[in-house]
Amino acid sequence: MKPLSAIYFIKQNKKRSLLLIFMFILTFAIYIAGLYISNIKSMFHITMEKDKKVTIINAADTDKDNKNFNKAIEMLKKEKGITLVPQGLRNRINSMSIMGFTNDYIQYSFRTKEDFEIYCKFTGIKIKSKNKELANGSVIMSSLQADNRGIKLGDSLKQQDDESLDQKYILDAITDNDGYSTYYISDTANACYLVLNNSMNSKDFKELTKKLETEYEVYSSDYNYYIDRIDGQMESFSYIYFFIIILLSVVIAVTINAAFAGFYQHRQGEFALYKAVGIPRKKLRFKIISEVMLIDITGIVPGACIIILGIYLANNLYLIPNGFRLLYYDNMPMAGMITSNLVILIPVIISQGRRLIKADICNY
């Protein structure tokens, strides 16, 4: 094996290399923290995924006797490519987040079982298990939501503080949704409809909802509206997360840089010899970069395996049975991990590389 090879050097210095590899494995704590912080936003995105082609329209508070709203509904009934599904009075229950505070996800109240079935067919939702035939007073939940509330098929839905229910509800069905979903069957009429986009392109559908807002003064809320809201609410958490990981990464970088300094201290004579025999500086810089990167990657691979196994065990043994779920991947923690890696690696490569490249054979 060639002496300039990064693998050769690591094999010759196994104990020190393993120590540095372990330090890089520890940086996965940053990734786990990111998954934890972004969980609310991620689960909201998953819950709303099925409603990308659904818009909710409501009558404005100033619309007396819902005259404008009814005109808007009559106009929509003439439009091709959409389906209208009437809604009952809005009910709202919360779910507990993995971070320990409550969340309110979008919930729908259907006036009849048939209306709910239209929505299920449109979104692809399937019923996993039933308590009885759905009727007025039935509530339907995803498995995660039911476990989060601690209720089973046949149990009554109990209202907690800061929640609202228009009547008594029994959990009569569980759906196969991945997120936190709750649906009610309530025969109480309400000036609210779901507009299901069967075949219109997204641009025309958006223009249609804008027309409803301007001409009939109705309120419309679609997938993008809710996603923008949750993203805006969680934006401050993202800033705090990146501020913390940069601080932590600087601390880790100082520690790892000190470890590399001790690691490379005895190598100045080695690099001075390389220069003396005519090996170009460019090649020596590449050797340093490849060694540091190899140690980093060797830490990342087992670290990723440990994290995947840890999340799998946590989900299946505790989180999912209690109505929580930790995702394996999310963009924010991945960006945090990459940022942390760069904050750690760049100073190490520059500082240690500069010292070794300057080594002179005359000093030895």
Side-chain angles (χ1 to χ4, degrees), residues 21-36:
I21 288 168
F22 178 71
M23 288 183 179
F24 280 109
I25 290 175
L26 292 179
T27 61
F28 270 92
I30 290 169
Y31 185 75
I32 285 290
L35 288 178
Y36 179 77

Side-chain angles (χ1 to χ4, degrees), residues 169-185:
Y169 285 97
I170 305 292
L171 181 60
D172 284 332
I174 301 289
T175 70
D176 63 350
N177 290 9
D178 288 332
Y180 296 98
S181 300
T182 307
Y183 311 103
Y184 310 85
I185 307 294

Side-chain angles (χ1 to χ4, degrees), residues 82-346:
I82 64 170
T83 300
L84 293 174
V85 181
Q87 293 284 283
L89 283 178
R90 184 177 186 268
N91 294 279
R92 181 177 62 82
I93 63 166
N94 298 325
S95 60
M96 183 65 68
S97 74
I98 201 170
M99 295 180 71
F101 51 82
T102 57
N103 293 313
D104 175 18
Y105 289 87
I106 308 306
Q107 301 166 36
Y108 303 134
S109 295
F110 298 91
R111 296 183 196 174
T112 65
K113 176 191 74 170
E114 289 73 24
D115 287 340
F116 176 61
E117 289 172 345
I118 290 171
Y119 173 79
C120 287
K121 185 177 180 181
F122 178 79
T123 56
I125 294 171
K126 290 183 172 55
I127 303 295
K128 287 172 59 178
S129 53
K130 279 187 179 182
N131 173 51
K132 63 179 184 180
E133 194 64 23
L134 301 180
N136 180 47
S138 292
V139 63
I140 305 99
M141 291 182 174
S142 61
S143 298
L144 210 60
Q145 178 67 26
D147 290 335
N148 193 278
R149 295 288 297 198
I151 62 174
K152 302 183 184 301
L153 285 172
D155 289 350
S156 296
L157 182 57
K158 296 179 181 179
Q159 180 176 325
Q160 299 175 3
D161 294 340
D162 194 32
E163 297 180 338
S164 60
L165 297 173
D166 68 318
Q167 60 173 303
K168 180 181 178 181
Y169 285 97
I170 305 292
L171 181 60
D172 284 332
I174 301 289
T175 70
D176 63 350
N177 290 9
D178 288 332
Y180 296 98
S181 300
T182 307
Y183 311 103
Y184 310 85
I185 307 294
S186 173
D187 59 8
T188 308
N190 187 27
C192 179
Y193 272 77
L194 293 186
V195 185
L196 312 181
N197 180 12
N198 294 311
S199 58
M200 295 180 69
N201 64 57
S202 57
K203 182 180 178 181
D204 290 343
F205 189 59
K206 191 70 177 177
E207 288 178 355
L208 176 63
T209 56
K210 286 293 182 186
K211 182 179 179 181
L212 293 174
E213 292 174 343
T214 54
E215 292 188 16
Y216 300 97
E217 298 181 349
V218 300
Y219 295 129
S220 70
S221 308
D222 60 4
Y223 169 84
N224 292 321
Y225 168 79
Y226 289 111
I227 292 298
D228 289 343
R229 278 187 64 187
I230 190 66
D231 289 355
Q233 291 170 8
M234 296 303 296
E235 191 173 18
S236 58
F237 285 94
S238 300
Y239 290 139
I240 293 170
Y241 170 68
F242 278 100
F243 176 74
I244 291 172
I245 66 166
I246 288 173
L247 287 180
L248 287 175
S249 298
V250 169
V251 173
I252 296 170
V254 171
T255 305
I256 291 181
N257 194 48
F260 267 102
F263 195 22
Y264 283 167
Q265 189 173 8
H266 68 287
R267 301 188 66 196
Q268 291 184 345
E270 174 192 342
F271 274 78
L273 181 60
Y274 289 149
K275 286 172 61 180
V277 297
I279 296 176
R281 288 193 173 195
K282 186 177 180 181
K283 201 164 186 177
L284 296 179
R285 287 194 183 97
F286 179 77
K287 174 176 172 58
I288 295 166
I289 293 171
S290 61
E291 287 175 1
V292 175
M293 292 300 296
L294 183 58
I295 289 172
D296 181 36
I297 292 168
T298 309
I300 286 174
V301 173
C305 295
I306 292 168
I307 291 301
I308 291 170
L309 178 62
I311 293 173
Y312 175 82
L313 292 175
N315 277 335
N316 288 278
L317 296 179
Y318 177 76
L319 294 177
I320 292 176
N322 288 282
F324 305 106
R325 181 182 164 204
L326 193 61
L327 301 180
Y328 290 94
Y329 174 83
D330 191 79
N331 288 334
M332 190 184 84
M334 180 55 71
M337 188 71 181
I338 292 171
T339 301
S340 173
N341 233 249
L342 292 175
V343 171
I344 293 168
L345 290 178
I346 292 173

